[in-house]
Amino acid sequence: MSEQQEVQPVFSIEKIYVKDLSLEVPNAPAVFLEQAQPDIDMQLGSEGKQIDDGFFECTLTVTVTAKLADKTMFLCEVAQSGIFRIENIPAEDIDPILGVACPNILFPYARETVSSLVNRAGFPPVLLAPINFEALYMQQRAQMAEAGNA
């Protein structure tokens, strides 16, 4: 029985933390007098790497920019990270776990941090829509394959 337990796949969250946080309001205080709705742009990036035997760090970076015409109202960037224990999982499955499963776990934390930070800066909270990380992962892999064939 103990031998069977040793080969069981392991995936667990060891720690979730904010690795980096930035907020800029370059046009304050004049920006607070504006009445129009800004254009909100969100950019995502994720990176995963092994940090120890069986332990991986995944960092999801969310950058939200609000602009009104050519003026930046605010720029908020959050790097939400997690340490994950991943053991007894085939090597070819590690990349999808770091590219899909881990960002799915981290995104709600990053979303709450962005919303809270923007609100504390004096703006209405930004509510980010859920993200399909599996589709993004597949799109990135297709682009990498295409670049490799070019």
Side-chain angles (χ1 to χ4, degrees), residues 26-125:
N27 294 301
V31 74
F32 295 110
L33 301 176
E34 298 287 346
Q35 298 299 316
Q37 284 289 85
D39 291 322
I40 305 286
D41 178 56
M42 180 182 70
Q43 299 293 319
L44 285 175
S46 77
E47 176 187 22
K49 64 181 178 184
Q50 187 164 3
I51 56 173
D52 201 356
D53 192 30
F55 292 92
F56 295 79
E57 178 190 51
C58 180
T59 300
L60 176 66
T61 303
V62 180
T63 306
V64 178
T65 308
K67 287 189 173 187
L68 197 55
D70 62 340
K71 283 187 193 170
T72 299
M73 295 183 81
F74 66 81
L75 185 138
C76 175
E77 185 170 85
V78 175
Q80 187 75 49
S81 293
I83 298 173
F84 299 88
R85 184 173 170 210
I86 305 172
E87 294 179 328
N88 304 323
I89 292 178
E92 65 271 9
D93 292 340
I94 299 289
D95 195 49
I97 289 171
L98 293 174
V100 178
C102 295
N104 264 323
I105 291 168
L106 296 172
F107 185 71
Y109 295 92
R111 179 175 51 198
E112 191 280 327
T113 301
V114 166
S115 180
S116 176
L117 192 61
V118 167
N119 191 251
R120 288 173 185 260
F123 298 98

Side-chain angles (χ1 to χ4, degrees), residues 142-150:
Q143 287 172 348
M144 288 171 60
E146 207 173 275
N149 292 338

